[in-house]
Amino acid sequence: MKRWFLPYLMLSPFLILVVMFYVIPAFITVMLAFTDMNYAMEWRFAGLVNFEKIFTDPFLPVIVWNTCKYVGGTLFFNVVFGFVLALLSTYYIQHEKSGIFFRALWMLPRISPPVVYVLLFLWFFAPGQYGLLNALSAIFLGVEPQNWLSEYAMLIVILANGFVGASFGMIIFSSAIRAIPQDIFRAAKVDGATEFAITKEIILPLMKWPVMFVSVWQLLSLLTSFEYILLLTGGGPFLDTEVWSLYSYHRAFVGFEFGYGAALALVMVFTAFFLTALMLKLFDFNRMIKSSRID
Amino acid sequence: MLKKKNFVFLLVMVFSLAILVACGDQTTTVAPEEQAKEIITIKAQTAGAETRRVDNLVAAAEKLNKELVAEGKNIVVEVETSIFDGGWADYYRQFKLAFRAQKEPDIYAVGHPNIGWLASGGYILPLCQLKEAAAYQDIFPVLWEAVTWNDQIWGAPLDLEVRPVFFRVDVLQKLGWSEAEIKNLPEKVRAGAFTVEDMTQLGKEAQAAGLVEWGILHRPTDGPEFHMMAKNFGAQLYDPAQDKLIFDKPAILKTLQYLHGLTQNEKVTPEAITTMEWKQVHQMMIDGQALFWYGGIWNVFNYVAQGMPFDEVMDKFDFMLVPAAEKGGNPITLSHPFVYTVSAQTEHPELVTRLLELVAAPEFQAANVETGHLPITKSGIKHERVQADPFLSTVTYMIEYTTFQPNHPDFVSYGGAFYKAIQAVQLGRKTPAEALDAMEAQIKSDIGDNIIIKEG
């Protein structure tokens, strides 16, 4: 057996899996985007019809705007809230066991099955007197029941996703804060730095790499994930929480426009590439991966 | 002594062997007959709680097997049933994928509007012969409309429901209505003397009197009731001659104005009703928080499931047709019958057809009452089990007034656009005219030229 062949042989089980579950589906999606496949599930080449339809779709402006609000809002919440949680549980709570307990609490939304988690949200924000929030506000504030899910649908969607996503940032930022040598904090304290100054001048500048990682990772995941929105509002009321990925799903699997759904998904993939490149540029990724000039 | 013992032992052994051989002989003499019987498995699938839809097929198969024995055929039909647990869109999707993998059920029970895509997609067989079959001669003729597409019959109706308006008898009593007036309300509706506008005003009156929180409730999700309302305002949804859907703008505008009025002007319906959960809406009716409910006959069983005893449901509620849009007009209801469709890939079309004829027998039809559904045949309605049902026997007259949604593949897209317009007007995001324009833009984008736009 030739020597060059052995590594490929060892890798072949994984290569086969990757080809079957990543490469082939991606290829099929690209092919589908150029067909008018519908409920009959027949492959009929339709050229660029689906892409033309995307740009004449009357709901496109609303869906793009919703996607921006959802991705931007949730990303901001995930990074900022994740950082605050990490800072509180790692730096300000010096007692390690308390910090771990605190972080474990915030992991609960992530380990809960999405359906159960969303049911709790639905029950909490349910309109009418049966909703928990309405019942509590009637008891303590004496106010009339509110239609939370129709008035603040996007905000609730962002919160539901944010509480799950923040735990990811929290874990990454916690380990990054832990990795900062204690000597730096001690030196700062000896020099009379306040806690706020330590956070602003020491911790924050050292968070650039993890912030970039969490932002890019979460951006990609938020662009493509829609399960919490689907379970919580189904994209409604009206089109208030219909984001690009959910719209693609609805078109393909509810309206049975598989070709159009695939075209929408394909556009989203290129959008994700573009936004990732933009983020890396913003964070000056090339400079970050260069070896340190101080040795 | 020993010899005698050996002899007895030998005798017992020989005897036992003889019995075993005799038994063995018996089985081998029967075996060729048994083996000659060919077992044919027919797979049937449905979704939801109404498992009777496939259980009836199992019972009908017993009758079929007796017939096959009488005909001297060495065939035994076994029905293998499966109940899909999940959403409707998932149910349709799994059938499509199973069909492509040639693992689909032979008999697929599905709501009738799916016939459009099932037939035009080549998934199911035409069943025109059923119209001539003796078993279907006393079917309510209007039901053939529900299974017709492109001038052919594509399904066998299996059960029937109607969508009455439920009203709280106790609320009307508190409003000062006499027993006779309350009892007469369904008749008044039938005669066209009580309109949808009267219904709104009565709901408002009950709200003003502090008897209810809301006057009228309707379903919280997309569904046939909204098309029923559109039909009530004169909408024509389908042109069978051209096999095209119709976007009847004047009638849809009236419907949107009505639904907008319910939440935004008259405020008899909660603005956020389309964000509510089914159970929550049912609970509001159970608790007497609303006067009218655009319901379906099966909702009685939802109320029972949510804790209201059946007798109390019968005591607190009465049922009427959807009142006419104008005085003297015709009231309306809508049915969404479930139908058996037959896979285009089935290997046993003849046996499946015979099974579908047998399952239309009155005794199987009468079993529909178990889940609050009506029989599809007149003989089924006359069955003692249906006649003895205190609820269903009072709503059977509504079948005469029933209508259906069109069986067109693009109706899902049309319905989606209509529901978005409804949500927009009910939430006060758009005026009815603006919502109509948005609906037209979406329909043109989704369906293209395959829909007739009726301007006036």
Side-chain angles (χ1 to χ4, degrees):
Chain A
M1 194 183 291
K2 296 202 167 153
R3 271 189 73 183
W4 64 266
F5 186 68
L6 193 64
Y8 291 100
L9 186 73
M10 302 297 279
L11 280 172
S12 62
F14 310 104
L15 281 175
I16 290 167
L17 281 178
V18 167
V19 168
M20 273 182 68
F21 293 106
Y22 290 90
V23 180
I24 293 176
F27 181 70
I28 290 174
T29 307
V30 174
M31 295 278 287
L32 260 180
F34 295 94
T35 70
D36 66 349
M37 186 185 277
N38 58 10
Y39 52 85
M41 295 184 85
E42 283 166 3
W43 291 84
R44 270 194 308 260
F45 185 70
L48 295 171
V49 166
N50 291 325
F51 297 95
E52 284 166 21
K53 194 175 164 180
I54 289 176
F55 294 103
T56 54
D57 192 322
F59 294 129
L60 193 80
V62 183
I63 283 153
V64 170
W65 177 230
N66 283 346
T67 311
C68 292
K69 281 194 288 186
Y70 166 68
V71 175
T74 315
L75 192 62
F76 181 77
F77 187 90
N78 283 353
V79 175
V80 173
F81 195 58
F83 178 70
V84 170
L85 288 175
L87 198 65
L88 287 176
S89 66
T90 315
Y91 179 72
Y92 285 101
I93 300 174
Q94 289 291 339
H95 187 247
E96 200 173 333
K97 278 187 181 164
S98 306
I100 290 172
F101 175 74
F102 191 65
R103 283 199 293 278
L105 273 184
W106 279 98
M107 289 302 286
L108 285 177
R110 184 168 286 277
I111 56 170
S112 308
V115 176
V116 177
Y117 176 70
V118 167
L119 269 178
L120 290 175
F121 261 79
L122 284 174
W123 172 58
F124 188 77
F125 289 110
Q129 65 187 49
Y130 301 106
L132 181 66
L133 188 57
N134 277 338
L136 290 175
S137 39
I139 294 166
F140 295 109
L141 305 170
V143 293
E144 288 290 302
Q146 301 288 308
N147 300 323
W148 303 104
L149 272 169
S150 64
E151 295 289 323
Y152 308 101
M154 186 54 93
L155 184 66
I156 292 171
V157 160
I158 289 174
L159 284 178
N161 273 277
F163 285 138
V164 176
S167 59
F168 176 75
M170 178 186 74
I171 295 294
I172 304 287
F173 296 139
S174 294
S175 51
I177 293 170
R178 280 244 169 270
I180 301 172
Q182 288 296 310
D183 298 353
I184 300 178
F185 294 126
R186 288 193 197 109
K189 278 183 181 161
V190 167
D191 290 344
T194 61
E195 295 292 359
F196 178 73
I198 290 173
T199 307
K200 188 167 166 270
E201 306 296 338
I202 299 174
I203 300 176
L204 264 179
L206 289 169
M207 288 293 113
K208 199 176 172 187
W209 183 275
V211 166
M212 183 209 68
F213 170 71
V214 170
S215 304
V216 174
W217 185 272
Q218 295 276 42
L219 173 81
L220 292 176
S221 122
L222 286 168
L223 272 174
T224 53
S225 71
F226 58 83
E227 69 269 30
Y228 288 98
I229 311 180
L230 182 70
L231 292 166
L232 199 56
T233 62
F238 186 43
L239 280 172
D240 289 4
T241 52
E242 186 87 11
V243 296
W244 194 284
S245 52
L246 183 61
Y247 191 54
S248 164
Y249 167 81
H250 275 148
R251 286 302 192 132
F253 292 105
V254 179
F256 302 142
E257 295 172 83
F258 296 106
Y260 188 48
L264 284 163
L266 197 60
V267 170
M268 195 175 61
V269 169
F270 284 103
T271 311
F273 275 135
F274 171 74
L275 289 175
T276 308
L278 193 71
M279 288 282 253
L280 294 179
K281 183 97 184 150
L282 275 175
F283 280 99
D284 206 356
F285 182 69
N286 285 337
R287 221 180 114 201
M288 280 166 77
I289 55 170
K290 274 181 193 160
S291 55
S292 171
R293 279 174 293 179
I294 307 162
D295 220 350
Chain B
M1 279 291 279
L2 263 175
K3 272 185 184 173
K4 198 177 174 186
K5 261 188 184 175
N6 281 348
F7 178 71
V8 172
F9 178 69
L10 203 70
L11 205 68
V12 169
M13 288 301 286
V14 168
F15 219 77
S16 309
L17 202 68
I19 290 169
L20 279 173
V21 169
C23 289
D25 278 354
Q26 246 179 2
T27 47
T28 45
T29 50
V30 172
E33 278 176 29
E34 290 287 324
Q35 279 169 1
K37 290 258 183 200
E38 188 192 349
I39 295 174
I40 291 179
T41 305
I42 290 174
K43 288 193 277 180
Q45 189 183 35
T46 189
E50 292 87 355
T51 55
R52 148 195 63 75
R53 286 172 175 153
V54 285
D55 294 342
N56 275 355
L57 289 169
V58 176
E62 285 176 23
K63 278 175 97 175
L64 178 59
N65 284 330
K66 281 178 190 158
E67 286 184 11
L68 291 170
V69 169
E71 289 164 18
K73 290 188 179 156
N74 284 329
I75 301 173
V76 177
V77 172
E78 281 182 3
V79 176
E80 188 185 303
T81 64
S82 63
I83 316 289
F84 184 82
D85 189 15
W88 292 112
D90 299 328
Y91 181 52
Y92 310 143
R93 188 164 60 240
Q94 64 87 34
F95 178 77
K96 281 187 209 132
L97 296 174
F99 187 89
R100 294 291 160 206
Q102 299 192 325
K103 287 181 177 170
E104 83 291 358
D106 299 274
I107 301 173
Y108 181 55
V110 72
H112 83 94
N114 294 287
I115 277 178
W117 67 263
L118 282 166
S120 68
Y123 292 100
I124 55 172
L125 290 177
L127 300 169
C128 298
Q129 67 275 27
L130 287 183
K131 206 170 177 177
E132 309 304 322
Y136 288 91
Q137 289 312 301
D138 72 336
I139 191 174
F140 292 101
V142 71
L143 279 171
W144 290 122
E145 193 190 313
V147 286
T148 302
W149 177 74
N150 221 4
D151 291 333
Q152 283 187 298
I153 307 285
W154 295 89
L158 70 93
D159 59 23
L160 184 61
E161 26 59 63
V162 286
R163 287 169 167 72
V165 170
F166 289 41
F167 60 91
R168 293 281 309 202
V169 172
D170 53 341
V171 174
L172 291 184
Q173 282 168 342
K174 285 176 197 158
L175 263 182
W177 281 44
S178 69
E179 285 299 315
E181 279 176 315
I182 296 169
K183 276 239 166 337
N184 194 40
L185 183 57
E187 272 311 310
K188 248 177 115 177
V189 169
R190 215 171 161 181
F194 185 88
T195 63
V196 275
E197 178 56 26
D198 295 331
M199 187 170 138
T200 307
Q201 293 312 319
L202 188 55
K204 235 177 139 177
E205 202 183 316
Q207 271 178 296
L211 298 171
V212 286
E213 199 179 335
W214 301 105
I216 300 171
L217 297 181
H218 60 69
R219 63 179 296 137
T221 58
D222 188 9
E225 283 81 350
F226 297 118
H227 301 295
M228 175 179 74
M229 292 177 195
K231 282 188 168 223
N232 199 24
F233 285 102
Q236 200 190 339
L237 300 178
Y238 178 61
D239 179 359
Q242 294 185 62
D243 185 29
K244 279 188 174 181
L245 291 174
I246 300 172
F247 177 39
D248 192 337
K249 284 175 73 176
I252 295 298
L253 181 62
K254 278 186 196 167
T255 316
L256 292 175
Q257 283 165 340
Y258 169 66
L259 289 163
H260 176 258
L262 290 183
T263 60
Q264 299 297 319
N265 303 336
E266 308 292 355
K267 300 194 186 296
V268 287
T269 303
E271 186 181 283
I273 190 154
T274 53
T275 62
M276 288 181 179
E277 292 284 302
W278 273 105
K279 277 192 174 175
Q280 191 186 354
V281 180
H282 289 328
Q283 198 59 46
M284 287 164 84
M285 286 309 297
I286 292 169
D287 293 348
Q289 287 180 26
L291 173 56
F292 292 111
W293 162 240
Y294 272 104
I297 54 174
W298 64 94
N299 291 146
V300 166
F301 297 88
N302 297 128
Y303 294 172
V304 172
Q306 278 185 227
M308 194 177 200
F310 180 78
D311 291 340
E312 197 184 331
V313 178
M314 292 297 106
D315 194 38
K316 294 272 165 63
F317 289 95
D318 205 345
F319 315 91
M320 63 191 200
L321 285 157
V322 175
E326 285 167 10
K327 281 264 190 261
N330 289 322
I332 197 174
T333 186
L334 183 136
S335 299
H336 181 267
F338 243 66
V339 299
Y340 293 121
T341 59
V342 177
S343 164
Q345 294 177 155
T346 183
E347 289 171 10
H348 316 287
E350 279 177 29
L351 287 172
V352 169
T353 310
R354 285 183 69 174
L355 202 57
L356 295 187
E357 287 175 24
L358 289 168
V359 83
E363 66 263 35
F364 299 130
Q365 285 299 307
N368 293 346
V369 299
E370 289 167 15
T371 53
H373 289 77
L374 291 164
I376 56 155
T377 56
K378 288 165 193 160
S379 50
I381 293 283
K382 284 178 196 151
H383 194 277
E384 54 186 15
R385 226 175 138 186
V386 182
Q387 291 300 313
D389 190 291
F391 167 56
L392 291 177
S393 57
T394 61
V395 293
T396 47
Y397 76 92
M398 293 185 182
I399 299 172
E400 288 171 43
Y401 296 85
T402 204
T403 53
F404 304 99
Q405 294 176 99
N407 293 330
H408 192 280
D410 289 328
F411 195 66
V412 177
S413 300
Y414 171 87
F418 185 36
Y419 185 61
K420 282 200 176 76
I422 290 167
Q423 277 200 311
V425 295
Q426 290 212 306
L427 288 165
R429 304 282 168 85
K430 281 187 163 77
T431 64
E434 287 168 349
L436 189 79
D437 289 344
M439 184 178 165
E440 185 175 359
Q442 193 188 353
I443 282 172
K444 281 181 178 166
S445 163
D446 292 354
I447 309 177
D449 297 332
N450 209 19
I451 187 161
I452 301 163
I453 311 257
K454 193 173 154 188
E455 296 286 348

